[in-house]
Amino acid sequence: MKARTIISTVTAFTLTLTVVLLPAGPAAADTALGDCYHSTAPQHQDPAPWPAPGSRQTTWSSPISIIRSDAFRVTAQGSVQIDRWGTTKSIAGELPVAPTTGGWPAPGAPRYALIARVTTGSMWVKKTSREYGSSSWFPVGTDSDCMLFSSSGGPVPQLVFTFNDNNLGDNSGGAGVVVRQWF
């Protein structure tokens, strides 16, 4: 019994010394993506949801520039009517995923989901662990999770939204979108 008490005392003492003597980690993340991961206050957040109509592509009206290593998180609410008969889908999308044939803008992403792309550079998306070039649409849905923009220069990039539907022309409804940006 005495050995167990000694071991417990030594373990407690060692843990106390470790906590006291080891330097603490940084109080906040040191990158924009780290700030997004830790949900720190973004440097920009849309003051209110803005409309992304279900029938067309919509460019985010960024009040500030998008540059290399900016992090983003997009949240949205709404539904899109996908035909003239009133079939309504969640902007989160649905399975099965869109096929590679048939004109779906984001093959492999949920059908009818809110999607986005950048016009130059690329966007790494945490929820898919993939990087998407300027011609590739990536899933957003109701919450994009953290994303990281990358570019080697060139024209000023834009963030464009639409829906993963092979026929936008008969759609109505859409999403209320809020973009948060860390830099």
Side-chain angles (χ1 to χ4, degrees):
M1 265 330 232
K2 195 168 186 166
R4 184 175 288 185
T5 304
I6 292 171
I7 292 172
S8 294
T9 303
V10 169
T11 302
F13 181 72
T14 304
L15 287 173
T16 302
L17 280 178
T18 302
V19 170
V20 171
L21 296 177
L22 285 180
D30 57 356
T31 65
L33 187 59
D35 288 343
C36 179
Y37 285 164
H38 293 102
S39 298
T40 62
Q43 279 80 20
H44 170 76
Q45 178 172 331
D46 293 330
W50 53 269
S55 59
R56 62 184 169 89
Q57 294 180 18
T58 306
T59 301
W60 175 50
S61 297
S62 171
I64 52 180
S65 296
I66 298 172
I67 61 170
R68 179 177 178 77
S69 300
D70 282 0
F72 295 88
R73 187 165 194 158
V74 178
T75 54
Q77 295 181 334
S79 59
V80 63
Q81 184 175 318
I82 62 162
D83 58 30
R84 302 205 192 286
W85 299 276
T87 306
T88 302
K89 304 291 183 176
S90 166
I91 63 163
E94 67 178 27
L95 297 177
V97 296
T100 56
T101 60
W104 296 86
R111 295 173 192 229
Y112 314 113
L114 179 66
I115 56 176
R117 72 178 182 90
V118 288
T119 56
T120 62
S122 63
M123 188 74 81
W124 177 82
V125 179
K126 180 183 177 188
K127 77 178 179 184
T128 61
S129 295
R130 282 190 50 207
E131 189 164 349
Y132 298 83
S134 60
S135 61
S136 298
W137 294 95
F138 50 85
V140 173
T142 57
D143 186 347
S144 68
D145 206 336
C146 294
M147 306 183 297
L148 181 66
F149 176 73
S150 180
S151 176
S152 57
V156 175
Q158 294 181 314
L159 187 56
V160 180
F161 293 86
T162 194
F163 293 87
N164 199 16
D165 187 346
N166 61 353
N167 181 11
L168 292 177
D170 61 356
N171 288 3
S172 61
V177 178
V178 173
V179 177
R180 289 180 284 170
Q181 181 179 9
W182 291 263
F183 44 87

